[in-house]
Amino acid sequence: EECCSLEPALLRTVRDRTVSEMPQAAHMMSGPQQGRFLFSLARLARSKRILEIGSFTGYATVWLASALPPDGKLVACEHDDNVVAVAQAH
């Protein structure tokens, strides 16, 4: 982690909120390295549309969305209403 760029403030907020509100499930969240990797893959692929199935609290979703061009679109699907509320806050 010390060799990577800093985690953006919004993503740190999502991660902190997930850990504080859902400590028993926080292990399901992607970490900063995985998020950067997803961002890089989406950018390298020049993605304009992304479908995310199982968005949990939205941490990886924010990374993926930030890789999209201005006219890009991300659709995130999540069936657990408890985590959707956290994701929608961001």
Side-chain angles (χ1 to χ4, degrees):
E1 176 124 4
E2 62 193 49
C3 296
C4 297
S5 57
L6 293 176
E7 180 179 37
L10 172 61
L11 287 156
R12 180 63 192 213
T13 301
V14 174
R15 188 158 56 97
D16 289 346
R17 184 169 178 196
T18 301
V19 170
S20 71
E21 293 185 22
M22 300 174 181
Q24 73 287 357
H27 68 279
M28 294 180 4
M29 179 179 49
S30 302
Q33 292 87 1
Q34 293 93 342
R36 286 184 191 93
F37 183 66
L38 290 169
F39 173 88
S40 296
L41 288 176
R43 275 285 168 97
L44 287 169
R46 297 183 181 162
S47 300
K48 286 191 146 194
R49 294 177 296 171
I50 296 173
L51 171 63
E52 183 182 32
I53 299 174
S55 59
F56 192 45
T57 58
Y59 185 83
T61 310
V62 175
W63 277 108
L64 289 166
S66 65
L68 289 170
D71 63 338
K73 183 173 183 171
L74 185 144
V75 175
C77 304
E78 177 58 59
H79 70 87
D80 185 338
D81 292 336
N82 295 324
V83 296
V84 169
V86 175
Q88 287 178 335
H90 307 285

